[in-house]
């Protein structure tokens, strides 16, 4: 039933975090073995944002945004709020006032498996949100939740201090212990992809670049 | 089974309606005690529109848009069409021809728990629609429905002449009897919010501005 | 269980295809008797695209994009890839590398009842995709599917060589045998609609233009 | 934001209510002009129950079942609780203890657009529930709602004292003012249906019984 | 827009059809290469039914069940009605009267991507239905559809005369041309499965029976 | 990308597990502070089962059930299989043959956020399954996953050896470290509830038993 705020959270170096942002969600997801994606129902409120940050997690009851105020005090520059309702809810937990407060403390984004409102203002403030719904429904401040405890958000396990990467493709979480390694793999992957892109753009086929023809034949593929 | 058109609808003064549009959905919703929101599945076909108007309601059978033609004759400048299918349906009841006709009579928008089509044309015409789906599926003109009777649209009860407010956050209905009072509360709310926004932007915390710390402690919140 | 690639596909003349693109989804759908629409869950990754092309179909297992590589070899300029997972799946079968390859061969778009990723890159490349989900989830290359066999995609039956039309309203399929006839009807429809649009814009009512009043009365419509 | 309990509710005579129960949902729905159905997502927790009663309505915040306790005091024998969350929620607002209390006061069923739990116990108690979800998620008692105010439940407008009819086909609401008239029509309908059933069972066709052939031909139906 | 009834439908021999019923959906689906399943949203109204029959298909507008009457005349003993709405709809197209009529003509079941009502009566009549929804919503008889044309139902392509197999696992369609071959394969599969079942029941592992260990190791599976 | 099987899993004492089964999902969920529920979309294939067991977890690619064979070897009497697809999938990963094998090794149930098939056989075998879908769709054996690693299943974090409790209300996970404590609290809760049940059955009101009237008044509840 909540009621805990963890105040000491280990965070990954911002240089690593910013590197992951540059790689983007799809590449980071591949670089860590196709893991860590949040559900596709979490969509950005506007296109073009690409951010990364350290997760400050919130476990909140349905329709109660009290804990967001508590969480904002725990924010450090470069953080991202990750809000997981304790049961399915699409109420508008977060709007322009909370965004103003979070942004003032250096928060880069909100990720939520709930709803968001004031999306026009948030867009003008350049404060990106990935949410399950846009819904103006107001919330109360009556019941405790917790801040900086492990949560499941969008079907992914997120611990405080894990790195969140988010862009138009969705949201991905990188465990803080492997962030450096994932960044290295992601960068390496980008170099490889760039080479392939050139060959594909020149009309070479993936069938040949990746030497797939033999294996397809073995599996029994027939051309008619 | 429908078959009724109510021709005399009491409407709210346009100055009040336009004032509510300026406040926007989230503020109006809060100002009337967190009531009146339509379901989040009703989304705008393009971003940036913010409108209000008097509801001209339509109860229509699934896949039958005949009543829209009937409803358009009942439109007055400043009205908004509210179309509720009698059972779940996402067919494209409404497109650019009907929008041309509605716009010619001063209609400001369509709200529907069904589908819409010709969204590119509607966007170019600057005719906003909040709908459950974008779907080109054509409809027939065979079965009667009703115009200007109370309907449930997007899970909200809407009576003809009620004020509809719609923006990027969704759609809200304000009963016409309380529209003036809600406008006053909404405006007062906006003033208060502006003051809070400044303090939050300066780094003050909601925990302090709203004096939440004591009550959180009483509820048992623990910092670790 | 798949394993077949049909290499000879009859295609419709590109002039016909391009004519259908100009008419757009809603008009084409009406012109062929309100048939051929794919489900409304297939949405464009960016607005404003309007394309048509010959379907190169792909039947692919969930989470396995191997067959896309096979299909790309079968592409001719003016084609559109139509990818139907064999069971519901929203994984990101397709991203910027595959788009680069497809675009190099003259492919105009991808239609899929699955997921897509790298949507920012695809948007910059001007390669439109209509998909059920944006989802970065990676896929494997282990199990055969088929290319250029009839598929059901988005609830519509699509055969290789059928014409796909797609725009902001969604996606429509035109059987290749009737493409010329549908184009003629669509063009005729556009002319008629233009005439009606002018009358409606001038304030004439659909009730009068379409002579509906008598039939509404017969059905029992009552004005109160 | 709630906070009101209306203690005087006009109810329909129990003989009428029980007559409507006997007719069942489909017949009653037809008898009142195909109106009044709640959404199909409200399903019974066990099959075979067929009940009717006077609505005691509850408007409750998401995840907060406090108002059910308040509502139970307002119950009279023959009543049915109708619980509408103020925003989408599937938490288990109601279980065996509340059912025991409600049943002790003569309550016949619960209808909810939220969740229910303890369904095994409820089944053994013979206390039927129509709900959106079976979900054990516990709720709090912190925020006021209202009792015996008009609500929208499952997309239908329900006022306190309206008659609720529920069976395996779902749930229907009959406005208390028309309950007698609807019962008469429903009974008449049953008699007619019985006669038709016999003819159909003997192999006569609806095409002939309802004289449809001529009209189908006029509409253009072609046999190949 | 419909309007066609095909009166001559080639059907598969009833012995073959009944054989397929005995094998059941999962086995038949596997026997024909894991194809032919209808979407999982089509659920039986009661458990325990296992049927097969020749498809008599219906393409019907949303909320209009007129064509069912037309289709019933086309039924022969051993047939199954397959009803596909032309756009998503969950109205109750079919109830006990139509079931009485269909059953009188030897019809074995209804498969529909729409809704059904009177499920208590249908259960008592032992007339099984697989449907997307149970919903009492009544329908009209105004717009033509077609009977015995190819349809997409539940995401599967069904032609008149194809064999439908349905049980608690869902619904599968077998093209009439391959029904005999599929039956043979399904029977063979059953024999093989029976042998495996005994070994598995005795505690042998699938890893050994299917010789999976070596391939798992090659793929890189590691035991810790 | 998977590829790991953890062979040593700490399990909770079976007496504790069986005690938790007796308490049932709703009580256990409350006893551990309203945490641990899996999503309501996981439903039992038949009613009346109430089981508990130690989780043997499986992370499996969409449409690939190879890892179930691997997991079955890891089963001990009293275990429950928990299968989490790596992306949303409703294919029928599991049927009667795998159930025979699992049951032979003492497995008590399967919990899956995917699909299941052969539900008639599974019911006759008395092997309960909680699944997202009943769907006969076959799967392949091509890609590695992992066994006995932490997974998110139905939105809940499940580690190997955690206790799973499942009944008609759904599924709950109890961390193995707190299982004894949760059992104690659950038993205490049952005693308390029994006392309350008697009072409620005698017509006492929750308003009085729980002394709610004063606090409701303070919050502003008004009786009209």
């Amino acid at each position: 039933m909540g009621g805990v705020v963890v105040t000491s959270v280990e965070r990954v170096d911002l240089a690593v975090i910013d590197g992951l942002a540059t790689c983007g969600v799809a590449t980071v997801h591949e670089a860590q073995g196709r893991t860590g994606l949040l559900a596709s129902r979490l969509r950005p409120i506007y296109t073009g944002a690409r951010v990364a940050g350290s997760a400050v997690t919130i476990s909140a009851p349905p329709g109660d945004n009290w804990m967001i105020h508590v969480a904002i005090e725990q924010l450090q520059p470069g953080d991202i709020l990750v809000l997981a309702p304790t049961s399915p809810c699409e109420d508008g937990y977060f709007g322009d006032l909370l965004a103003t407060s979070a942004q003032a403390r250096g928060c880069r984004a909100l990720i939520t498996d709930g709803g968001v409102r004031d999306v026009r203002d948030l867009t003008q403030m350049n404060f990106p949100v990935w949410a399950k719904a846009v819904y103006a429904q107001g919330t109360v401040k009556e019941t405790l939740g917790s801040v900086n405890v492990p949560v499941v958000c969008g079907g992914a396990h997120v611990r405080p201090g894990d790195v969140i990467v988010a862009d138009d493709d969705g949201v991905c979480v990188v465990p803080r212990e492997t962030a450096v390694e994932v960044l290295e793999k992601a960068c390496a992957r980008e170099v490889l992809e760039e080479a392939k892109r050139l060959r594909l753009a020149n009309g070479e086929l993936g069938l040949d670049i990746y030497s797939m023809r033999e294996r397809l034949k073995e599996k029994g593929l027939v051309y008619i």
Side-chain angles (χ1 to χ4, degrees), chain A:
Chain A
M1 287 190 232
V4 173
V5 183
V6 177
T7 55
S8 63
V9 170
E10 228 172 306
R11 286 168 173 85
V12 172
D13 192 87
L14 270 181
V16 174
I17 289 171
D18 291 343
L20 289 165
T22 306
C23 295
V25 167
T27 300
V28 166
H29 159 71
E30 288 284 346
Q32 67 178 340
R34 291 184 190 154
T35 60
L37 281 186
L38 277 67
S40 67
R41 65 178 174 265
L42 275 71
R43 297 299 304 143
I45 58 169
Y46 57 87
T47 60
R50 177 168 275 186
V51 299
S54 299
V56 166
T57 63
I58 307 169
S59 170
D64 194 313
N65 76 346
W66 207 7
M67 283 301 114
I68 302 183
H69 287 280
V70 175
I72 285 175
E73 190 178 27
Q74 305 303 318
L75 286 170
Q76 295 183 8
D79 284 351
I80 288 181
L81 288 167
V82 176
L83 168 58
T86 53
S87 67
C89 183
E90 57 176 47
D91 291 354
Y93 285 85
F94 189 91
D96 69 329
L97 286 182
L98 284 167
T100 299
S101 182
Q103 207 173 41
R105 298 184 75 82
C107 182
R108 294 178 170 182
L110 167 72
I111 311 296
T112 179
D113 205 2
V116 63
R117 62 182 187 179
D118 300 327
V119 294
R120 185 157 84 159
D121 296 325
L122 296 177
T123 303
Q124 284 166 354
M125 292 169 63
N126 203 27
F127 188 89
V129 175
W130 283 256
K132 186 172 76 171
V134 174
Y135 193 37
Q137 179 68 43
T139 52
V140 299
K141 297 179 208 324
E142 296 288 351
T143 307
L144 296 187
S146 290
V147 172
N148 280 331
V149 296
V151 296
V152 172
C153 183
H157 194 237
V158 180
R159 299 163 313 153
D162 284 347
V163 183
I164 298 294
V165 187
D167 62 19
D168 292 346
D169 282 347
V171 186
C172 188
V173 58
V174 181
R176 63 175 178 275
E177 297 84 352
T178 56
V180 172
E181 178 194 338
V182 169
L183 176 57
E184 283 164 7
K185 287 186 182 166
C187 292
R189 194 178 171 87
E190 292 216 317
V191 174
L192 281 175
E193 288 205 343
E194 191 49 36
K196 282 178 205 159
R197 186 176 294 108
L198 289 174
R199 293 175 66 182
L200 293 166
N202 284 333
E204 272 190 85
L205 287 168
L207 290 176
D208 299 313
I209 295 177
Y210 306 103
S211 306
M212 290 171 171
R213 293 188 193 275
E214 189 60 27
R215 199 162 151 255
L216 285 164
K217 198 175 167 187
E218 278 169 29
K219 284 266 184 177
L221 190 67
V222 178
Y223 286 79
I224 304 177

